[in-house]
Amino acid sequence: MKIGVLALQGDFALHEKALARCDVASVEVRKPEELADVDGLIIPGGESTTLLHLMEEWAFVPALEKFHAAGKPIFGTCAGLIVLARDVERPRQFSFGFIDVGVERNAYGRQRESFEAPGLAVLDGKPTPIDMIFIRAPRIRRVGAGVETLATYQEEPVLARQGSVLVGTFHPELTDNPAVHRYFCGMVLRAAGRPGAGALPSEASR
Amino acid sequence: MTELNGLRIADRKHIGLAEMLKGGVIMDVTNAEQAKIAEEAGAAAVMALERVPADIRKEGGVARMASVKKIKEIQATVTIPVMAKCRIGHFVEAQILESLAVDFIDESEVLTPADEHFHVDKFAFRVPFVCGARDLGEALRRIGEGAAMIRTKGEAGSGNIVEAVRHMRALTSGIRRLTTLAPEELMTEAKNLGAPYELVGSVRKHGRLPVPNFSAGGIATPADAALMMQLGAEAVFVGSGIFKSSDPPKRAKAIVQATTHYKDPDVLARVSEELGEAMVGLETSKLTKEELLQTRGW
């Protein structure tokens, strides 16, 4: 199993480190054809406008749509969430719409208003402590019916999942706690282990 | 509060913002119109200032923090982070920038220093700071004062990459050297570098600075940006190089592409085609001591 980290701009190197903590191989993805070799993809934090410009330049839109349609899991943090959401406010901008949430960009304010908070996520049915660092973070303002909320901050969803898509408004990759990445690796492993997905290890043989 | 070997360093949410800017281009802008061009070209952040370094060099006079009105106009125009420069040691300019909620303060040698002995105490602020450095000792002193990001200085407004290369190589070879030291050598090394012992120990152990390290001062072409990335920069600042060129939107976009695809010569060749004229460069070895910006700060 190999997980790609979109390395156009942002804190992709920290996601690679987080995956290494989970003993999962990762590879940097800078061109759409590199998606062919990976079982899941992380879209890191960074600037969503920068990410969108670079994705557009390299025709990532059709490639990612195909990747998602094939059921391969995608995890987006912060800017990654913004590009994956159904709709984006302040300002309105293009997004893939792979998860039925509405997000507002920079919704807590500028960097002066960035903050940390302890949190509790429910991962695979188990309450799991997590450290949440919000940096010029977006807020999830609307959650569609098919979306499962995995963690909240002040009663608002901050970690959510719909099928093969996981999103967070905070940055687990900035902490030493690998819980959220481990959960995503589990999603990828299960998706890759489905019948017809090729000779990848099943979860039992892990 | 974030600590490293028992020494306070910048908060991890602030170092985290620097992490988010990695692989990106931070562009100097002097007004809202330029900021919009930068954002549309894919800049990861903009740096608001009154005059670009090449003009500061040409026109002379005291260079100060940008006007509050200009900073507000730029903040109202773009959604990417807005940084602004304060003079070295001018903590009141920094207080004003904090009040405006700029996302990063650059305590910068490009402006005329306000204090010849002391830099700003960066722990006193709720916004992060980036500071310039020419070598490892200077970088660690700034981190010890609370900088959340380091940028090698280069020679701002010169359009000549040679100083940026010199400083990046000095920093990376300084880091490499530390990793080879025996424990008993560390205190002497800290003394020689003029750097906090705890940070010297951290660099020896991890083989890198505890905060991101970007490159600045002289980047004028996509190839310059990719050169600095291949030499170990984690992102680049481009000052005069964009808005002093003949086609700023095109050059800005090309430098963004080159910073992402810095290891791919085919992409670099493609984005370097038909860029128009680069800014006119200066022979930095011919600059007098008074004309050098990099020697400001210590």
Side-chain angles (χ1 to χ4, degrees), chain B residues 5 37 70 95 99 117-118 143 157 164 168 212 244 253 259 276 288:
Chain B
N5 290 346
I37 291 172
K70 280 273 157 62
Q95 288 165 3
S99 160
H117 298 285
F118 305 112
I143 295 167
M168 186 57 71
K244 285 288 162 189
K253 221 173 158 189
T259 305
T288 64

Side-chain angles (χ1 to χ4, degrees), chain A residues 64-137:
Chain A
L64 260 191
E65 275 166 355
K66 214 172 118 196
F67 189 84
H68 173 61
K72 294 192 178 177
I74 307 176
F75 174 27
T77 56
C78 198
L81 151 64
I82 293 167
V83 303
L84 292 172
R86 174 72 35 92
D87 31 62
V88 181
E89 285 175 67
R90 284 212 339 164
R92 288 192 180 281
Q93 62 188 38
F94 169 83
S95 57
F96 284 94
F98 294 165
I99 181 163
D100 188 15
V101 296
V103 296
E104 181 185 342
R105 287 183 59 196
N106 302 336
Y108 297 99
R110 297 179 184 276
Q111 177 62 12
R112 204 177 58 186
E113 277 66 57
S114 291
F115 63 100
E116 285 191 34
L120 199 66
V122 179
L123 303 174
D124 293 318
K126 287 188 286 283
T128 312
I130 52 170
D131 304 312
M132 304 188 292
I133 306 179
F134 298 89
I135 297 174
R136 287 169 45 89

Side-chain angles (χ1 to χ4, degrees), chain B residues 34-212:
Chain B
Q34 289 183 352
K36 195 78 212 158
I37 291 172
E39 184 174 58
E40 278 169 6
V46 292
M47 173 75 72
L49 73 178
E50 204 108 76
R51 297 176 282 172
V52 294
D55 288 335
I56 292 173
R57 199 176 274 292
K58 208 160 64 194
E59 295 159 13
V62 173
R64 310 182 180 91
M65 172 186 88
S67 83
V68 169
K69 188 165 167 262
K70 280 273 157 62
I71 293 171
K72 282 188 164 171
E73 282 170 11
I74 291 167
Q75 285 176 319
T77 305
V78 297
T79 60
I80 54 179
V82 175
M83 306 185 175
K85 290 182 192 289
C86 76
R87 285 179 263 178
I88 289 173
H90 205 316
F91 53 87
V92 174
E93 283 188 347
Q95 288 165 3
I96 292 169
L97 295 175
E98 179 185 46
S99 160
L100 295 176
V102 303
D103 295 294
F104 241 106
I105 298 176
D106 184 1
E107 186 183 18
S108 176
E109 71 283 0
V110 169
L111 307 185
T112 311
D115 190 323
E116 295 186 332
H117 298 285
F118 305 112
H119 283 252
V120 171
D121 168 21
K122 292 163 264 289
F123 293 118
F125 292 83
R126 289 176 297 151
V127 292
F129 278 73
V130 49
C131 290
R134 290 190 296 166
D135 53 37
L136 180 57
E138 194 175 6
L140 295 182
R141 286 191 290 280
R142 295 293 87 75
I143 295 167
E145 290 165 354
M149 180 205 297
I150 292 297
R151 53 172 179 75
T152 47
K153 286 178 176 174
E155 185 59 30
S158 71
N160 186 338
I161 201 66
V162 67
E163 299 300 312
V165 169
R166 188 194 317 281
H167 299 159
M168 186 57 71
R169 284 202 181 275
L171 187 65
T172 50
S173 73
I175 291 171
R176 258 199 312 275
R177 208 185 82 76
L178 268 196
T179 62
T180 65
L181 295 187
E184 65 272 23
E185 294 177 286
L186 283 184
M187 188 58 84
T188 302
E189 189 63 20
K191 171 179 174 272
N192 294 341
L193 286 172
Y197 176 77
E198 295 84 349
L199 296 182
V200 171
S202 160
V203 172
R204 172 178 172 267
K205 185 172 162 198
H206 300 288
R208 57 172 178 80
L209 296 180
V211 305

Side-chain angles (χ1 to χ4, degrees), chain A residues 7-14 17 28 30-31 45-47 49-50 53-54 57-58 90-91 93 105-106 110-116 131 133-136 171 173-176, chain B residues 12-14 16-17 19-24 39-44 75-76 79-82 98-103 126-128 208 253 256-257 260-264 267 270:
Chain A
L8 296 175
Q9 193 272 317
D11 71 335
F12 49 87
L14 291 178
K17 250 190 219 167
E28 293 181 0
R30 288 188 172 81
K31 289 182 179 167
E47 281 307 312
T49 51
T50 307
H53 280 294
L54 288 159
E57 187 77 21
W58 290 90
R90 284 212 339 164
Q93 62 188 38
R105 287 183 59 196
N106 302 336
R110 297 179 184 276
Q111 177 62 12
R112 204 177 58 186
E113 277 66 57
S114 291
F115 63 100
E116 285 191 34
D131 304 312
I133 306 179
F134 298 89
I135 297 174
R136 287 169 45 89
H171 294 281
E173 74 280 8
L174 285 176
T175 73
D176 298 330
Chain B
R12 68 181 170 168
K13 65 182 180 192
H14 290 330
L17 177 59
E19 296 282 352
M20 299 311 143
L21 298 170
K22 279 188 179 174
E39 184 174 58
E40 278 169 6
Q75 285 176 319
T79 60
I80 54 179
V82 175
E98 179 185 46
S99 160
L100 295 176
V102 303
D103 295 294
R126 289 176 297 151
V127 292
R208 57 172 178 80
K253 221 173 158 189
V256 169
Q257 292 289 336
T260 293
H261 297 282
Y262 68 96
K263 286 185 283 196
D264 189 335
V267 175
R270 185 170 68 70

